[in-house]
């Protein structure tokens, strides 16, 4: 167990404190932005395929440019990359907001702007994932990760509900606009984060050579590539099922747009309560408990397919939020404690590439599949498949037996 003072010790670190507030502001907008964009697209076209196309327009370039993002973060410094990316993301979100609010948005415009945003997200993701070890001492990694999770989950409780209210009152564009402004404020707060630049090298390696170095670490770490391979399928199921068909089913049933906001908020409540527990409990064997928690994330899709009742789906979403928080913490600890810091951004970029590469397939396939078999039927199958694949991942000993690096030597194979 850790003391209350130890739980919040990372906030005494100046760099972490400003990064914490930067992410807090940014997340406040992002928790509204995703839901608002989904319903903004549905205002332009009520076709599931249209929504899947816009979401895929974001995820495809994100997949394509992820590896470059890892190299850029290790070369130019993670804080700088995040700051520039925040500015660019804010501009694209505000452009989407203007189009939606003015009533002039066309599907192709949303596709283009979402694609630009996807490129920016690809560049920033490895830097965001790997910056934390530079901001706090090693012994504070778990409380620092938990505090960041608390930001995400705490704001996610309110954000989707507020977004749902904005959608049904003044329109989806205003929630997207808030998201855009918060990106710019977050960039300003990052000006106070001062971390050493990457160490100078006598002779700069080519990007290809640096990617090969990252690949060697990735493929040589068994638990890493096994979990990433699993998530290549799991994320496709989630993006095509819960994230794409979920709003479509909500809009066509008694759940409605506001009810969907409540479902997403219920998931965030599960996240938040679990982060409070993890402030006190040391997570040992992080990937064993992480993958068990991950399996619960398939339950909301199963319930949506079997019986789309608002209360039942909210309960399932709450449990899923708790489970995915355990996985998120376990995964970040496994990466941050076992991967060398100078390779961490590139390792995260390979992680993200493998995990995200099939997301566009899920997003683009869900529309035609739901037309052919029915929305509820597709959600039911994706929910079952999600649980089965998550559990099967634990058949790898390197995954289920990985301990905390604070008590043993890092496991790299």
């Amino acid at each position: 167990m850790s003391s209350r003072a130890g739980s919040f010790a990372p906030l005494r670190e100046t760099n972490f404190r400003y990064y914490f507030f930067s992410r807090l502001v940014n997340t406040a907008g992002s928790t509204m932005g995703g839901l608002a964009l989904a319903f903004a697209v549905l205002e332009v076209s009520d076709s599931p395929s249209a929504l899947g196309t816009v979401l895929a327009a974001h995820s495809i370039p994100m997949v394509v440019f992820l590896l470059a993002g890892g190299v850029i973060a290790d070369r130019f410094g993670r804080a700088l990359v995040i700051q520039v990316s925040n500015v660019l993301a804010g501009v694209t979100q505000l452009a989407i907001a203007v189009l939606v609010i003015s009533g002039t948005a066309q599907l192709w415009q949303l596709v283009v702007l979402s694609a630009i945003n996807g490129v920016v997200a690809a560049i920033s993701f490895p830097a965001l994932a790997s910056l934390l070890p530079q901001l706090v001492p090693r012994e504070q990694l778990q409380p620092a990760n938990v505090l960041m999770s608390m930001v995400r989950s705490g704001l996610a409780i309110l954000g989707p509900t507020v977004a749902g209210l904005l959608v049904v009152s003044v329109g989806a564009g205003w929630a997207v606009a808030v998201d855009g402004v918060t990106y710019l404020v977050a960039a300003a707060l990052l000006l106070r984060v001062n971390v050493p630049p990457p160490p100078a090298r006598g002779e700069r390696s080519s990007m290809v050579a640096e990617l090969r170095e990252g690949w060697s670490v990735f493929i040589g770490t068994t638990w890493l590539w096994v979990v990433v391979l699993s998530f290549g399928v799991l994320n496709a199921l989630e993006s095509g099922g819960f994230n794409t068909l979920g709003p479509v089913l909500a809009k066509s049933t008694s759940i409605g747009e506001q009810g969907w906001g409540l479902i997403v908020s219920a998931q965030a409540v599960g996240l938040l309560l679990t982060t409070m527990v993890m402030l006190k409990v040391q997570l040992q064997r992080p990937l064993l408990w992480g993958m068990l928690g991950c399996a619960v994330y398939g339950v909301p899709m199963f319930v949506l397919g079997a019986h789309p009742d608002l209360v039942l789906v909210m309960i399932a979403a709450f449990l899923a939020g708790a489970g995915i928080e355990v996985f998120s913490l376990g995964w970040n600890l496994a990466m941050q404690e076992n991967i060398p810091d100078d390779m961490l951004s590139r390792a995260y970029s390979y992680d993200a590439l493998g995990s995200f590469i099939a997301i566009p397939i899920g997003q683009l396939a869900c529309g035609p599949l739901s037309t052919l078999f029915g929305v509820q039927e597709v959600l039911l199958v994706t929910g079952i498949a999600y649980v089965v694949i998550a559990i099967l991942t634990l058949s790898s000993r390197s995954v289920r037996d990985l301990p905390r690096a604070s008590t043993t030597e890092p496991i790299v194979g």
Side-chain angles (χ1 to χ4, degrees):
M1 294 288 183
S2 58
S3 67
R4 182 180 179 87
S7 299
F8 294 93
L11 290 172
R12 292 196 290 269
E13 303 287 335
T14 301
N15 282 336
F16 177 80
R17 186 165 61 250
Y18 278 99
Y19 177 72
F20 176 87
F21 287 118
S22 172
R23 297 302 300 156
L24 187 151
V25 171
N26 196 181
T27 305
S30 296
T31 53
M32 292 188 286
L35 184 146
L37 179 61
F39 287 110
V41 174
L42 292 175
E43 287 182 8
V44 177
S45 171
D46 60 1
S47 166
S49 296
L51 178 55
T53 299
V54 173
L55 295 177
H58 178 276
S59 56
I60 289 173
M62 185 171 179
V63 168
V64 171
F65 290 97
L66 268 170
L67 295 183
V71 173
I72 290 170
D74 284 337
R75 279 193 177 189
F76 299 104
R78 296 157 189 172
L80 177 62
V81 170
I82 296 169
Q83 187 178 42
V84 173
S85 298
N86 276 343
V87 172
L88 295 175
V91 171
T92 57
Q93 288 296 84
L94 288 172
I96 291 173
V98 169
L99 290 170
V100 175
I101 293 170
S102 65
T104 60
Q106 299 180 35
L107 186 60
W108 72 267
Q109 295 170 324
L110 300 182
V111 168
V112 171
L113 289 169
S114 294
I116 296 172
N117 207 300
V119 174
V120 174
I123 301 302
S124 65
F125 181 88
L128 281 167
S130 58
L131 180 61
L132 206 57
Q134 293 183 289
L135 305 180
V136 296
R138 184 181 180 89
E139 63 270 15
Q140 294 181 9
L141 277 176
Q142 177 163 336
N145 276 290
V146 172
L147 287 170
M148 296 310 304
S149 293
M150 188 175 292
V151 167
R152 293 190 296 269
S153 55
L155 290 172
I157 295 172
L158 181 62
T161 301
V162 173
L165 291 172
L166 287 173
V167 168
V168 299
S169 58
V170 295
W174 290 105
V176 179
V178 171
D179 187 24
V181 171
T182 57
Y183 273 111
L184 302 181
V185 176
L189 286 169
L190 278 175
L191 290 171
R192 300 297 300 272
V193 175
N194 182 24
V195 296
R201 300 184 182 182
E203 182 177 347
R204 176 70 70 183
S205 301
S206 68
M207 180 173 288
V208 172
E210 294 186 30
L211 287 174
R212 285 175 179 168
E213 292 176 353
W215 174 254
S216 296
V217 171
F218 175 80
I219 202 64
T221 309
T222 305
W223 57 263
L224 175 54
W225 66 258
V226 168
V227 174
V228 169
L229 182 64
S230 174
F231 266 84
V233 181
L234 293 176
N235 283 335
L237 294 172
E238 177 200 354
S239 62
F242 189 80
N243 292 341
T244 304
L245 293 184
V248 173
L249 183 64
K251 188 174 182 179
S252 64
T253 63
S254 60
I255 292 176
E257 292 94 331
Q258 190 169 344
W260 186 251
L262 292 172
I263 290 169
V264 179
S265 293
Q267 179 177 304
V269 173
L271 282 162
L272 179 60
L273 293 181
T274 306
T275 60
M276 295 172 67
V277 172
M278 300 314 298
L279 277 172
K280 299 295 183 181
V281 178
Q282 288 292 320
L283 185 64
Q284 303 298 333
R285 298 178 74 182
L287 295 184
L288 170 64
W289 294 109
M291 290 310 301
L292 289 174
C294 178
V296 184
Y297 203 77
V299 176
M301 288 182 280
F302 176 84
V303 176
L304 280 167
H307 186 61
D309 175 79
L310 177 59
V311 174
L312 289 178
V313 179
M314 287 179 65
I315 293 172
F318 171 85
L319 296 174
I324 207 65
E325 170 55 26
V326 174
F327 171 79
S328 178
L329 176 60
W331 183 246
N332 283 325
L333 289 173
M335 292 286 284
Q336 294 165 6
E337 292 181 347
N338 291 278
I339 304 297
D341 184 69
D342 62 341
M343 291 287 178
L344 192 54
S345 291
R346 278 168 282 177
Y348 267 118
S349 69
Y350 278 106
D351 160 30
L353 177 63
S355 300
F356 298 165
I357 194 167
I359 286 179
I361 297 175
Q363 292 166 335
L364 293 172
C366 67
L369 287 174
S370 65
T371 300
L372 186 61
F373 298 106
V375 173
Q376 286 186 236
E377 287 76 7
V378 174
L379 280 165
L380 184 64
V381 172
T382 55
I384 295 172
Y386 195 100
V387 174
V388 171
I389 292 170
I391 296 299
L392 284 176
T393 306
L394 291 173
S395 63
S396 169
R397 181 180 176 185
S398 64
V399 175
R400 66 177 182 270
D401 290 347
L402 181 74
R404 290 290 301 277
S406 58
T407 59
T408 187
E409 291 298 317
I411 292 178
V412 294

